[in-house]
Each structure stands twice: as structure tokens, then as C-alpha cells.
Amino acid sequence: MTTPSAAEADEISGHASLGRHAVSGARWAAVGKGGQQIVQSASALVLARLLTPDDFGLYGMLTVVLGLVLVFRDLGVGAYVVRWRDPDPDSLSGLFWVNTVVTLVLSLFMLALSPLLGGLYRDSRIAPLFAASSLGFLGAGLGIVPQALLLRGLRYRSIALAEFIGVVAGAAAAVICALAGLGAWSLVAQSACLAITTSAAVIIYARWMPHLPWNASYRGLRTALGFSANVVGYGVSNHLMQSWDYLVMGRVLGASAVGPYALAYKYILYPLRNIGGVVYRVMYPALARVSDETDRMLSAFIRVLTTVAVFTFPIVIGLAAVSNEFVEVALGNKWMEAAPLIVALTPLGLVQSLLPSIREGYQVLGQTRQLMRFGVTYALLTLVAVLIGVRDGAIGVAVASSVAATIMVVPAFSGLMNAMGGSLSDLSKPILPVLLAALGSGGAVLLASRLLGVDSPVARLVLLSLLGAGTYLLLLRVVCPVQRRDALSVLRGPGVRGA
């Protein structure tokens, strides 16, 4: 029998270690996200009762520009650190200080920009809200490199704890401010407190401190920024893609129209942010470690996306099927305008649950220029669609955004799969049956809602939700047995076979 060489033994040991850490990391990421979702959902429901649609509309208008500035707080440094083969302390310190200087400059820029933003929206209330948001922006920037180091080391327990602390602190700040009658300031306080507290916790858990600026190394800065510039370009275009609707609606229709739309958008993307977010967070650092093994990486990528579809598709479609009952029970009658918007945004929610994998995939491959091209194309298409749809109000914007997302999904994944050495059919074969199962369960709920002789909105919501869940699980077992098994397998592991 052949005895493995020392190098081979080290590689086998490394893969086993990666598997153990990634399995633990996936579990902690899931637990952390679950805890965050509970706190965020509860605070969102409380705030929906305490605040007005106009308050949410004001903050929605604010986030258009705020989110664009937030893209630059990272400079793509986090993604670069995660896939960096052999980072040295001096170069890490150099990246930290460059990122900190940029964050400080952008914070001052936000203060200077705030009066202009109020003029853009023709609403003087916007300016002080935006200026106050610079505090959270500055605090968040300090945690970029420490959090990337935690992510690189698959230390999801520390990340989960830090983020949960931040979410609790932000929710508490928002509710206290709302009870005090501060309106939209409650949402600003939530965002700022969440960012600052999370960064502080991340820095503590990472146990890493940068060298002083004059002792840091900036030799590898050009390589890092070459990778990061395209990541930032994608981040900018991706933010614009997600913000054109708020920007155009805020300018044309006003805050009262943005409020229900923003709430509908928030709930339709909950599956992505709380389920897909867990899987994608584990996927990137795990795949980055096997990026030289094409077949293994491609197989893992497909399995991860199938897992995301298995869990997010039924939630998005199910929410659309019970949108009237959900809004009435969870948010109250004053938000009923959001119900048809949830339905119209359903295709967007389905596509958005998968699209983050485009970013992760191209970053793992190091092909960030292709990533930026995709982002720019999608942003321009969405802008055209929103400008056309706004003529029919909020519902027109929702339909237009969904159409743009549906148009982009095929060329987007076709390009990435080709870059990975596969084809679009390799991805569509396992995912389309999952979509059909989710649509089948949604159809059953819609049919039952017409026949159900129950007047109580709460009872209807509970019964229809149970029916939808049961129908989906049955269809999944019958139509998608392989996808179901793989989804459970990925939840138990890092998404990389043999890792």
C-alpha cells in the first residue's frame, strides 16, 4: 500500500480541518441569522405600529444616497482579505489605515452633502437625518478588516455574536426613539447604533490591532486595489440597481408612496437576507480555499444555489399568496397598500435570492472586471424599467423592477457558469423543479383562500401558511428528492464536497 507523502498528508489534514471549521461555522451563521431575524422582525413589527408610512418613506429616500456612500467604506478590502493567500501583518495594517482614511473623508463628505440632498428631494427633513448617519458610517468602517479576518478564519461564532449584539442594540435604540416620538430619527438611530456596536464587538472578538500607520506596509496596495476597484464598481452599480426605485419614486411620487413600497420590498427580500445570507457567507471563504480545483468548486457552487432555492423560493411565493392576510395581521390596515406590491415584487424576490452568488462566484475566480460589467448592465436596465414603470405609480415600479430582474437572470448565470467551466443547463436542471414545487404550493394556497370559509385574518393566515408548507414539503419530496437531500447535506456541511 502506498503511503501518502508529507505534503499529501498535510493537504488531507487541511481539508478535514476546513470541513470541521466550516460545519461549525455554518451552524453558528444559521443560529446568528436566526437570532437576528427574530429581533429584526419583532422590532420591524413594533416600529410599523409606532411610526407612520411617511417616516418609513423619509428613511427610504435617505437610504438611496446613504447606501451608495456605504459601498465605499469597504473599498472591496474585505473580499480581498478573505481570498488573500498569505497576508502579512504589515500589509493588513496598511489596508486598514487606507480604508480608515477613506471612511473619514467620506463621513465629512456626507456632512457637506446633506443640505444638497434635502434640496434634491425638496424636503428639508432629509438633510439632518443624512448628516447624523455619518456617525454610523465612520464607526462601521473601522470593523472592515477585523471582520474579514474573522470570516477568513471561518470564525462564525464570533461574527454571529458580534452581529447579534449590534442588532439588539440597534433595535433597542429604534424602539426607544419611536416611543419618544422621534419619527424617522428612530430608523437613523437604529442604523447608526447597529453599525457602531457591531464594529466594536468585531474588533474585540478579532483580537487584532493594526500597526501604527508609519510602521505599516503599503507595498501590496496596488494589487489589492486592482482587485477591489472592480468590487467597489460592482457595489456602486448594485446599490444603484436596488435604489433607482426609491430615488425615482421619491422624486416623482413623494414619501407617502415610497413608504408602503419600502416595506413590501423589505419583506420580499427577507428570505435572501436571512437564509441566503447564511449560505452565501459560508460559501465564499470555503470556495476561495478550493478555487484551484475547478470540478469541486463548480459542483459545490451548484449545490449551494440549489440549497438557497429550496429554502427561499417557497417563502417568497408563499408570502405573495397570503399577502393580504399577512399585511392585515402583521402590519395593520394602514399598510394594506403594501399587499399588491408584495405580489408584484415576487419575481424580483426570486431572482434576488440567487443573484448574490454572481458576486461570490466572480470574486472566487478573481474575475472582478466581469463582475463589474454585470452590475453596470443590470443597473442601467433597472433604471430604464423604473422610469417607464413610475408612470403607473408604485405598482408600476414594482412590476418594472421584476421584469428587469427576470430579463437579467439568464445572461447573468450563463456567463458565470461558463467562467466556472460549466453551462447554464448544469444549474437550471436542479433549480427549475424546485421553482415548480414552490409554485405548486403557492397555487394550492391561492385556491384554498378562495374556498376557505373563515373570516378571521389570523386564522386564515395560520391555516393557509400550514397548507402551503405541507404542500411544498410533499412536492419537494416527490418532485425534487435529490435537491432535498443535497439541501440537507449542505446545511450539515460547508457546501464543498470532501472539504
Side-chain angles (χ1 to χ4, degrees), residues 204-254:
I204 293 172
Y205 283 123
R207 295 176 183 152
W208 177 84
M209 292 295 292
H211 296 168
L212 295 174
W214 47 86
N215 291 330
S217 172
Y218 303 94
R219 290 191 302 271
L221 193 59
R222 178 177 297 181
T223 302
L225 294 183
F227 173 92
S228 302
N230 290 318
V231 175
V232 172
Y234 167 76
V236 171
S237 57
N238 184 61
H239 174 72
L240 290 174
M241 178 274 296
Q242 297 184 37
S243 302
W244 290 133
D245 43 8
Y246 288 170
L247 182 62
V248 173
M249 289 175 63
R251 178 74 176 179
V252 177
L253 304 176

Side-chain angles (χ1 to χ4, degrees), residues 181-207:
L182 296 181
W185 282 96
S186 306
L187 302 174
V188 173
Q190 180 179 31
S191 177
C193 191
L194 185 154
I196 295 172
T197 306
T198 301
S199 286
V202 163
I203 292 171
I204 293 172
Y205 283 123
R207 295 176 183 152

